[in-house]
Amino acid sequence: MHIGIIMDGNGRWATRQGLPRTAGHREGAKAVYRAVEAAARSHIDVLTLYAFAAANWERPRSEVAALFALFRRYLQAQTSRCLARSIRINVIGRRDRLDPELLEAIEHCEWATSRCDGMLLRIAVDYSSQHALISACRHIAHAGSLDRAAFIAAMDAANHAAASAPELDLLIRSGGEKRLSDFMLWECAYAELYFTECMWPDFDATVLQAALQEFSNRNRRFGRVQEPAGAGHA
Ligand code: IPE
Ligand code: IPE
Ligand code: MG
């Protein structure tokens, strides 16, 4: 099972408490540890976390710098936790605009956890689904053929995805907004969507369990007609 999470609401969480937005991001990083632990305990195969959208570069420079500093510290700390739980890390998104020190930290944690065979933890940084789609189209145009598998491989390459992940089963967005914000537009084709008012810094195992519980009650039809139980073919 593949879960994606749009981790939204750090800024509002902080503002409501009279704190600077960066305090919300710091608290949000703690929620990331909780979410990863809870997903691994629930035997999720792939967890993709939206950490920084390509559009987030438009935020004030100080906020962007604080986010990237946090992210680097997070990666360093998360690597040993992931090794202990056999979680493999893959940072997806663009890499051409990242600071060389951050790139080094990314390559290190991906290398260190590359043999882990438990959950695959994908962290989307400088990620834009539209950018990946356009890159894949460019690649395919040069290759001269349009084949679904080749297209997906080209998108994975644009995203630096180490291994092809299945499409999303469940998309969770915290923070109360009901939109995708350029996250996994292709992979969400048949995802179940779950929106929670919980601000990301408050996210924990209980919120994840509530989402999983609702998911288990959804009726996924993939365009087909559901046959009543026990009905045979006419
Ligand atoms: C999500 O929280 C974190 C990132 C986008 C990096 P926000 O910073 O978007 O928080 P709100 O939506 O302003 O509350
Ligand atoms: C989406 O949140 C991006 C991440 C959670 C990383 P945003 O806060 O940037 O999205 P919008 O601006 O509300 O659409
Ligand atoms: Mg937001």
Side-chain angles (χ1 to χ4, degrees):
M1 175 167 177
H2 183 179
I3 298 183
I5 308 184
I6 301 177
M7 309 185 290
D8 195 23
N10 292 349
R12 279 164 288 161
W13 179 93
T15 305
R16 280 174 198 176
Q17 328 226 0
L19 298 169
R21 290 176 59 83
T22 46
H25 296 315
R26 267 201 306 281
E27 246 355 86
K30 295 183 195 161
V32 180
Y33 292 121
R34 291 198 294 273
V36 170
E37 289 283 325
R41 271 201 308 276
S42 300
H43 305 293
I44 300 307
D45 304 302
V46 186
L47 176 67
T48 304
L49 301 176
Y50 202 7
F52 188 87
N56 293 147
W57 285 112
E58 301 300 323
R59 293 186 179 200
R61 258 168 70 162
S62 56
E63 181 171 342
V64 171
L67 277 167
F68 278 107
L70 253 179
F71 180 54
R72 211 171 109 214
R73 278 206 299 279
Y74 170 84
L75 273 186
Q76 281 154 355
Q78 186 62 284
T79 303
S80 52
R81 288 177 182 231
C82 283
L83 283 171
R85 288 195 158 274
S86 205
I87 296 171
R88 181 176 177 193
I89 304 180
N90 180 202
V91 176
I92 62 166
R94 292 180 63 165
R95 292 199 179 175
D96 55 314
R97 305 191 287 192
L98 301 183
D99 172 280
E101 283 186 347
L102 176 61
L103 261 181
E104 208 175 294
I106 290 173
E107 283 165 9
H108 174 76
C109 81
E110 289 184 335
W111 168 80
T113 62
S114 60
R115 286 168 187 264
C116 294
D117 58 3
M119 185 173 82
L120 172 61
L121 169 62
R122 307 198 315 164
I123 306 171
V125 174
D126 197 4
Y127 179 89
S128 158
S129 192
Q130 291 190 346
H131 178 267
L133 287 163
I134 290 170
S135 301
C137 290
R138 276 206 200 101
H139 181 87
I140 292 289
H142 286 140
S145 70
L146 182 55
D147 161 84
R148 183 186 163 89
F151 189 74
I152 291 170
M155 268 198 305
D156 283 343
N159 279 328
H160 297 86
S164 198
E167 287 186 15
L168 269 192
D169 296 294
L170 172 62
L171 174 81
I172 299 171
R173 180 170 186 145
S174 65
E177 310 292 3
K178 294 177 182 63
R179 53 178 172 255
L180 296 180
S181 303
D182 201 9
F183 186 57
M184 308 198 90
L185 303 180
W186 172 285
E187 296 87 341
C188 276
Y190 274 98
E192 294 296 327
L193 310 180
Y194 183 87
F195 300 103
T196 168
E197 292 298 321
C198 165
M199 295 293 147
W200 180 252
D202 293 327
F203 194 94
D204 62 11
T206 312
V207 185
L208 181 71
Q209 281 314 318
L212 287 171
Q213 179 62 41
E214 181 162 328
F215 176 80
S216 69
N217 291 326
R218 299 268 180 98
N219 188 356
R220 302 186 81 193
R221 288 188 288 279
F222 298 96
R224 301 183 199 112
V225 173
Q226 182 88 24
E227 286 194 17
H233 287 281

